[in-house]
Amino acid sequence: MTKPHPVVDPGTAPYWAALKEKRLILKSCRACGQAHFYPREICPHCYSDDLDWIEAKGTGEIYSYTVAVRPAGQAFEADAPYTIAIVTLDEGPRMMTRIVAADADAVEIGKKVTVRFVEEDDLVLPFFALGGA
Amino acid sequence: MKDHEAVIVGVADAPLINGKVAQPGSALQIVARCAKAALDEAGLTLGDVDGLFTAGMWGIPGVGQLPTVTLSEFLGIRPVVHDGTNIGGSAFEAHLGHAALAIEQGLCDVALIVYGSAQRSEMSRNLAGRPATLTMQFETPWGLPTPVGGYALAAMRHMHEYGTTREHLAEIAVAARAWAGLNPAATKRDPITVDDVLAAPTISKPLGLLDCCLVTDGGGAIVVTRASHAKAQGLKPIHVRGHGQAATHWTIAAMPDLARLTAAEMASERAFAMAGVTHDAIDLVEVYDSFTITTLLTLEALGFAERGGGGEFVSNGRIAPGGAFPLNTNGGGLSYAHPGMYGIFLLIEAVRQMRGEVEPERQIANVRTALVHGTGGTLSSGATCILSLD
């Protein structure tokens, strides 16, 4: 069973297109200098609309995680148990991700992680693996 | 008591057997039966209702997208105040605040707040993600089991920051079950221990099966009108002295601080200020317990427990029957019932406790002021009501 694919819209298309090229991009505000995730139309920090895309370094640390023992529906049954994390990127924003299966047993809050682009069902997702860049 | 003030004059819930409505029916039928029962209690009929307040998960996509409009037709009424505010399971605390304002401003005379769900009977509940459109593009593709996964992420962060343990969370489940044991209407009544909670299958680490609310049917209704009507009918009115609401995020990664329930802090601060009371005045607290962590975060956010001290606060049976801080005296979403959205049942239980009409074993003596707090979404929204007998 195919996993749920994002229904890409004009506001998110650049993000998903960059992932296909193994790049993680963020919206950043020219007015206040802060990046945010996921991409918005107005800066959620200072409410300016003067936004730009920047390329993230792809590094951060684990803010929290859970191990999904019971999967989110049939599409994820083969993966269970799997580790979902919220990562604080070095640029500031937090994003949801999954930690690669090989690192599952060593996951802890506060550990450094680096993006690992994983291709599945014609979709590239920014997983993370333990360890700095 | 001023004549124009809004008061609760009727409440009702749908009788359940093993978590299913005793009298099988659709969500609309369940709503209609509860509405009639609450109006009967108030000495009113559907013909008196001119304000309709509801949130629900039935008929979506379809007639449920305009729930007050559909319900008006089904009930045969023509309300002039409609409120389909949906901020999750806390919607009904928001509805009560809105209903009180509408009545006090003269926009309507009789407000009906209703909820109904046949999710257990229809087997329509599942953990699969929400459609990956708009903001959910950044959550659903990861396979986060909803809603439990978001609460698990919060629990893990709270444990990391404050040393909260699974045993602390288990105390909350054990207390809820003990209250349910005193409530003949509750779905799960057999006592459980901390060890039982720890030994239950893990759903989304660190939360196990007994850290999660039930999946049941359910329905409820609340009737709000002017104090002058209550006086004329000889009803014991329950006043809405303060209310507040807030929301901070929907996708869990956007929650400002996973170890802190900011929406509950904001909502309750406003409710306390409007009511003009402090924590000392509160005789009874009823809070949304979708998961054990929800209760813990809420007690901290409302200011009853210190920040980070929720685990210690609930320890040693403090919130269980006989404890110093009775909480969720019907057994809560964890052990009484949880029909998708639970917020209306917090209010119903508070009203019955204030009237002194629940079973003697779980009746809290002399509840003059009660605080009810609903949480909706994934720790997303909060709405607080402070109710008073005078």
Side-chain angles (χ1 to χ4, degrees):
Chain A
M1 188 173 174
T2 311
K3 288 175 182 165
H5 275 47
V7 180
V8 178
D9 60 58
T12 65
Y15 171 80
W16 294 108
L19 285 177
K20 293 250 182 197
E21 301 165 0
K22 309 252 165 86
R23 295 188 300 122
L24 179 64
I25 62 172
L26 305 171
K27 275 258 182 107
S28 185
C29 177
R30 288 197 189 94
C32 74
Q34 297 187 76
H36 64 264
F37 187 88
Y38 51 88
R40 315 282 166 87
E41 198 64 10
I42 308 277
C43 173
H45 303 293
C46 78
Y47 310 118
S48 165
D49 62 359
D50 190 9
L51 305 180
D52 198 7
W53 291 96
I54 61 166
E55 186 137 349
K57 285 185 287 181
T59 50
E61 67 172 51
I62 294 176
Y63 175 72
S64 194
Y65 72 97
T66 181
V67 181
V69 177
R70 186 177 290 186
Q74 283 178 13
F76 291 93
E77 253 169 32
D79 292 356
Y82 49 95
T83 305
I84 293 177
I86 295 176
V87 164
T88 307
L89 299 173
D90 288 344
E91 289 82 4
R94 289 193 198 124
M95 64 181 288
M96 183 172 285
T97 184
R98 264 172 67 180
I99 304 299
V100 295
D103 290 345
D105 293 339
V107 170
E108 281 177 28
I109 290 176
K111 280 197 173 174
K112 299 286 182 198
V113 287
T114 302
V115 70
R116 179 84 58 86
F117 298 100
V118 174
E119 191 165 356
E120 198 176 331
D121 298 333
D122 195 32
L123 179 69
V124 178
L125 286 170
F127 280 56
F128 280 75
L130 293 183
Chain B
M1 179 167 85
K2 297 191 184 79
D3 283 354
H4 75 280
E5 285 177 354
V7 294
I8 297 170
V9 290
V11 296
D13 60 343
L16 301 178
I17 297 173
N18 294 324
K20 295 184 182 178
V21 278
Q23 186 184 359
S26 71
L28 296 181
Q29 289 178 290
I30 294 168
V31 164
R33 293 170 194 150
C34 292
K36 183 162 188 341
L39 287 160
D40 284 349
E41 190 179 82
L44 295 164
T45 74
L46 274 168
D48 298 309
V49 173
D50 57 358
L52 185 59
F53 299 69
T54 199
M57 300 193 293
W58 44 264
I60 297 172
V63 294
Q65 288 168 281
L66 305 178
T68 63
V69 176
T70 294
L71 265 183
S72 298
E73 175 188 299
F74 190 77
L75 297 173
I77 61 176
R78 293 177 184 174
V80 291
V81 172
H82 287 257
D83 184 356
T85 297
N86 194 342
I87 55 172
S90 53
F92 307 91
E93 283 70 37
H95 292 160
L96 181 57
H98 298 169
L101 289 172
I103 284 168
E104 287 168 8
Q105 290 297 314
L107 298 177
C108 65
D109 294 320
V110 176
L112 175 66
I113 304 168
V114 285
Y115 180 70
S117 169
Q119 65 164 19
R120 172 82 174 266
S121 295
E122 294 169 354
M123 307 267 288
S124 56
R125 183 81 173 173
N126 69 62
L127 279 174
R130 306 169 177 115
T133 59
L134 301 171
T135 64
M136 284 296 143
Q137 291 171 63
F138 305 95
E139 189 167 297
T140 303
W142 294 113
L144 183 74
T146 55
V148 61
Y151 288 84
L153 286 161
M156 198 70 94
R157 185 69 199 182
H158 200 278
M159 290 173 162
H160 173 77
E161 283 194 29
Y162 300 116
T164 303
T165 63
R166 282 210 65 206
E167 285 79 359
H168 287 141
L169 296 176
E171 285 261 10
I172 294 165
V174 169
R177 184 61 63 88
W179 284 112
L182 304 177
N183 180 6
T187 301
K188 294 278 188 188
R189 302 188 63 205
D190 293 337
I192 53 172
T193 65
V194 167
D195 286 343
D196 292 334
V197 181
L198 300 185
T202 303
I203 304 294
S204 194
K205 190 180 169 186
L207 301 179
L209 184 65
L210 295 177
D211 289 288
C212 303
C213 64
L214 307 174
V215 176
T216 69
D217 297 342
I222 297 174
V223 178
V224 188
T225 188
R226 263 176 251 297
S228 54
H229 170 82
K231 212 186 307 181
Q233 296 283 320
L235 297 163
K236 196 173 194 177
I238 307 293
H239 293 261
V240 186
R241 288 301 180 202
H243 48 91
Q245 58 182 277
T248 54
H249 65 281
W250 181 212
T251 51
I252 192 66
M255 185 169 179
D257 180 341
L258 261 72
R260 184 172 175 183
L261 194 51
T262 307
E265 292 177 12
M266 294 172 68
S268 63
E269 188 184 326
R270 281 157 178 77
F272 272 116
M274 190 187 294
V277 299
T278 59
H279 292 71
D280 297 346
I282 306 296
D283 303 312
L284 177 70
V285 178
E286 303 284 345
V287 303
Y288 205 119
D289 58 342
S290 46
F291 298 90
T292 50
I293 184 66
T294 318
T295 302
L296 189 144
L297 289 171
T298 305
L299 287 170
E300 293 181 12
L302 296 178
F304 292 105
E306 285 178 27
R307 189 180 310 159
E312 190 66 29
F313 186 90
V314 301
S315 292
N316 303 312
R318 185 158 182 191
I319 60 172
F325 195 91
L327 182 78
N328 296 351
T329 48
N330 59 355
L334 291 168
S335 283
Y336 159 60
H338 193 284
M341 300 174 91
Y342 178 70
I344 199 166
F345 303 97
L346 298 168
L347 292 164
I348 292 169
E349 172 66 9
V351 167
R352 289 177 172 159
Q353 284 280 353
M354 296 176 82
R355 291 171 171 173
E357 61 186 30
V358 304
E359 292 75 17
E361 298 76 24
R362 63 187 187 90
Q363 176 67 54
I364 309 303
N366 302 318
V367 180
R368 300 201 64 77
T369 307
L371 183 148
V372 174
H373 183 83
T375 292
T378 309
L379 300 165
S380 311
S381 71
T384 308
C385 292
I386 294 177
L387 309 178
S388 160
L389 275 183
D390 44 33

